[in-house]
Structures are given as structure tokens and as C-alpha cells.
Amino acid sequence: LADRRGPAEETSHGNAGVIQREAVLPYTFPRDVGKIAGYALNRLPEANLHWSALPGLAPWLYAHWRQSQPDNVVRTARGARPLVERCIEEHRSLMMAAGSRVVVRETGYLKVYRTPARLDAEITAGEAAQRTWGIEQSVHTAGQLRDLEPALMGPLAGGILKTQPVSVDDPGALGKSYADLFTARGGRLLTADARTLAADPGGWRIATVEGPIVAREVVVALGPWAREVLDPLGVRVPLIAKRGYHMHYGTVGNAGLTRPVLDAEVGYVLAPMARGVRLTTGAEFALADAPPTPVQLDRVEPLAREILPLGSRLDPAPWLGGRPCLPDMLPMIGAAPGHNGLWLDIGHHHLGFTLGPVSGRLLAEMMTGQAPFTDPAPYRVDRFAVGAQEAF
């Protein structure tokens, strides 16, 4: 395993810690003109757009808009379902083998709403999703929310508990425990710059601090940095990184949470972690090398303090990570056409932590000639190629 840093020190270190068993339906491009305008003008806290990035992002946004049409959303959900349905099972298998001590909470996650109208609309949508996709939920009034989470307060109309997910109190530590399992089973961790990857008569070669390594096959699993390796090899993938921030907070008195809470009308998550309460922001659209601009954090922190008595910030600076997104919000899992021995496992958008183990299992089955547990066709690498059904 060649990486420039240690295991689990990038994107999956910084998420809300939820293994999202309910996440069959994808994040979609809004269809409401008013909401689109609000995002474009940076008037909604769940998104922040750098206008300097728009020329480069425009083709991807257009493709994402196309993929967000109802028929395409159904196709994405059908593709996501086999992975999502096994996500907890595959995590638990690795947790047990690794002897992980990370706290696992079987409490689901809670979506809270500030207005009755939005709550009612989401209840109706959730009931339809439960009938069609088996996404389980329970509805709670404002008073019942306090039974679930006594520390919640303020202007809440009610909430929806997604009962199938589980969450952990330290996703970075869990990732490191998986890396320890890898080395215990004979794997090696090497420090390397993945951009040195190149074809070799023996297959593929990469330069590491311990010298070059040559292998018959190679897997690119680089999240938001995948294009830095794939573009020079001539493998074109329509991948962007939605950036996001987090900050940890103490709490006042004995206030705390037993599960992650999504403030659904504002667009941030409060997640109980070993370090404190982690506040994670929505999406920022920016150039890959743009300096951090954590304005969303500053916007939502006062709103978060309305519903939970947060204490002081605990981190010296906001953490910044990137969510690697393809237009249809499905990962690419499989062989790169025209590049013998080159395999991809990328593009898990907001579900990298959730889908890492199960997509790894699928890829391993494909690479070793085993019967895959599900049809890998929805995740094929060339599905956006010119002439494909859904050209980018």
C-alpha cells in the first residue's frame, strides 16, 4: 500500500462517522430555480461556490444535472443498493478481524427540521423511499426529540430517525485499525508519491522512499486525487472534489449526543466523537489547490448553538477534506480499459467511509476471478466515455 501519508489521514478521517446503511438514493442537483440561484449566490449555508472554479466545474455540473433527472436517479439507486445493503456487514467483518476498539453506536442518525412544512414534506418523501427502497425511518415530534436527545433545544419542529445506519466515534482510528490488520496479514505500507506511477515491462512501477516497486497489477484508490495519477496515463474520468470542513467543540455541562444529528434545513451535521462534538459542513465547490475558505463553518456555528449548547472550539484550525464525486454519484470499481493490470476504486462521493470495505470486497473478487457478489456493470470505468449510454 503506497501512500504519501499514513493510513486514514485524509478524507475518511474527517467525516461524520456514519456507516450509511440508508444511503441508497443519491445526492442530486436541485431542480428548483430559487434554490439553484441561492447556491449560485452563496446565500444558502449548505453550499459555497468559488466563482473562479466555475469554468472548470461547469461541464461536471451540467452532467450532474442530467444525471439528477428522475429516470437516472432510479438507475443510480439501483446501482447503489447492493453496495449500501452490505456496508455494515463488511465493516463489521473487518472490525472483528482487526480487534477494533472504536465505539460503534447502533442508534441510527437523526434529521431534525425547523419548520413543520419541511418536516411534513420529508415525512412524505421518506415514506415513499421506505416503500420503494426499504429505507427505514421513524418520525418524532419536537417533544419526542428530547426523549431521543435530551440536550437538543431551540427552534425544532420535529425529526426523522434513520434507524438502519450505525456510527463510530473515531473514523480515523477505525481506518488505522484496518491498516494494522493489513500489515498483520503480511501487507506492507510504503511512503510514495502516487504520481510516479508508470507502465513497466513487468506491469506497473512506482517510486517509493525505499526504492521502486514493480507489480503486475495496481489499484488506484486515491479519492479526490485520482485524476492527478490517471490524467497523465490517458485515463479520463469526470471526477471533482466537493470540499468540506469540520471543527470539534466541547459542550456546556453534561450536554451531549448519542447519535449524529443532521440539521436538515441548514445543511450541517453534529456528530459525537471521541474528541468532542464534530461539526461537519456541506459542500464547497472550489479549485483543487484553492486555499481553505471555511466560511460555511462560520455561518452554521451560530445556528448549531441554537440547538445544542456547544462550548469552545477545540481545534487550532478547521479541518479540510474533499469528497470525490462522479456525475451519477456511483463509484468506479473495475479495470481501466486499454490499460492492462490497472484497476480503479474511486468516486465514492459522500460515502467513502461507508462503502470502502464493500467496494474493496467487490474489486478483490473481480481481480481474483471469483464470482462477484453483485453485478459490477453499474460501476464500470468507461460508462462516461464518448459513445457510452451516458456520455460525459
Side-chain angles (χ1 to χ4, degrees):
L1 177 59
D3 201 340
R4 66 180 183 181
R5 300 183 65 183
E9 293 185 7
E10 292 287 0
T11 304
S12 287
H13 155 81
N15 58 49
V18 186
I19 303 173
Q20 290 191 247
R21 170 58 183 81
E22 91 300 344
V24 174
L25 291 168
Y27 289 92
T28 57
F29 195 98
R31 318 304 283 180
D32 178 79
V33 174
K35 199 161 193 176
I36 294 173
Y39 287 145
L41 298 173
N42 289 327
R43 291 178 177 173
L44 300 175
E46 62 261 40
N48 184 47
L49 171 66
H50 289 199
W51 277 85
S52 60
L54 189 57
L57 290 173
W60 187 94
L61 291 170
Y62 173 69
H64 183 42
W65 173 79
R66 287 182 56 206
Q67 293 291 338
S68 297
Q69 297 180 44
D71 289 348
N72 291 331
V73 169
V74 170
R75 181 164 54 247
T76 290
R78 287 174 178 163
R81 191 173 190 175
L83 301 180
V84 170
E85 287 181 338
R86 290 183 65 109
C87 66
I88 295 177
E89 176 184 347
E90 296 299 335
H91 265 286
R92 287 201 184 281
S93 176
L94 288 179
M95 288 178 191
M96 184 175 297
S100 171
R101 297 183 180 181
V102 169
V103 173
V104 181
R105 299 174 293 246
E106 298 185 9
T107 51
Y109 84 86
L110 181 63
K111 302 173 73 173
V112 297
Y113 296 86
R114 294 172 177 247
T115 61
R118 180 68 183 275
L119 174 62
D120 291 343
E122 293 299 323
I123 291 172
T124 300
E127 289 171 346
Q130 186 163 356
R131 290 191 300 269
T132 304
W133 304 107
I135 301 171
E136 299 173 6
Q137 67 178 32
S138 60
V139 178
H140 300 264
T141 66
Q144 291 168 337
L145 286 182
R146 274 66 181 188
D147 296 330
L148 283 177
E149 296 290 349
L152 288 178
M153 59 186 189
L156 297 176
I160 298 173
L161 178 66
K162 299 296 184 179
T163 58
Q164 292 162 303
V166 302
S167 61
V168 302
D169 70 343
D170 194 336
L174 183 60
K176 291 182 184 298
S177 75
Y178 293 166
D180 291 341
L181 175 62
F182 172 70
T183 57
R185 290 178 170 178
R188 296 176 63 198
L189 302 178
L190 299 172
T191 302
D193 184 340
R195 292 172 297 186
T196 64
L197 182 68
D200 183 270
W204 296 89
R205 181 184 70 257
I206 190 170
T208 80
V209 295
E210 298 181 19
I213 297 292
V214 176
R216 183 181 70 252
E217 296 175 293
V218 62
V219 176
V220 175
L222 285 167
W225 299 277
R227 288 188 57 177
E228 295 185 33
V229 172
L230 296 176
D231 283 354
L233 299 177
V235 180
R236 306 299 181 189
V237 295
L239 185 77
I240 69 159
K242 294 185 189 177
R243 307 203 314 179
Y245 299 84
H246 84 218
M247 173 60 66
H248 290 99
Y249 299 81
T251 55
V252 177
N254 62 353
L257 297 171
T258 61
R259 55 177 61 79
V261 174
L262 167 64
D263 193 342
E265 294 184 61
V266 181
Y268 66 88
V269 173
L270 293 168
M273 294 286 174
R275 179 166 170 74
V277 175
R278 177 180 291 180
L279 190 162
T280 68
T281 71
E284 180 177 72
F285 296 87
L287 296 173
D289 57 353
T293 54
V295 295
Q296 290 167 282
L297 189 63
D298 295 332
R299 291 174 184 167
V300 300
E301 182 181 308
L303 300 172
R305 293 184 183 278
E306 291 179 357
I307 68 169
L308 188 71
L310 295 175
S312 302
R313 291 187 174 191
L314 301 180
D315 302 325
W319 176 89
L320 169 63
R323 307 173 181 103
C325 298
L326 293 158
D328 60 357
M329 293 292 155
L330 282 175
M332 285 181 173
I333 307 171
H339 295 73
N340 190 41
L342 178 63
W343 300 80
L344 274 58
D345 192 1
I346 62 171
H348 294 75
H349 58 101
H350 298 249
L351 300 180
F353 179 63
T354 292
L355 298 181
V358 67
S359 65
R361 178 191 181 98
L362 178 59
L363 182 64
E365 290 169 346
M366 296 168 68
M367 293 180 70
T368 57
Q370 301 177 60
F373 75 84
T374 188
D375 181 4
Y379 327 115
R380 69 186 193 275
V381 174
D382 64 348
R383 67 183 186 268
F384 296 102
V386 175
Q389 181 181 5
E390 294 297 333
F392 174 69

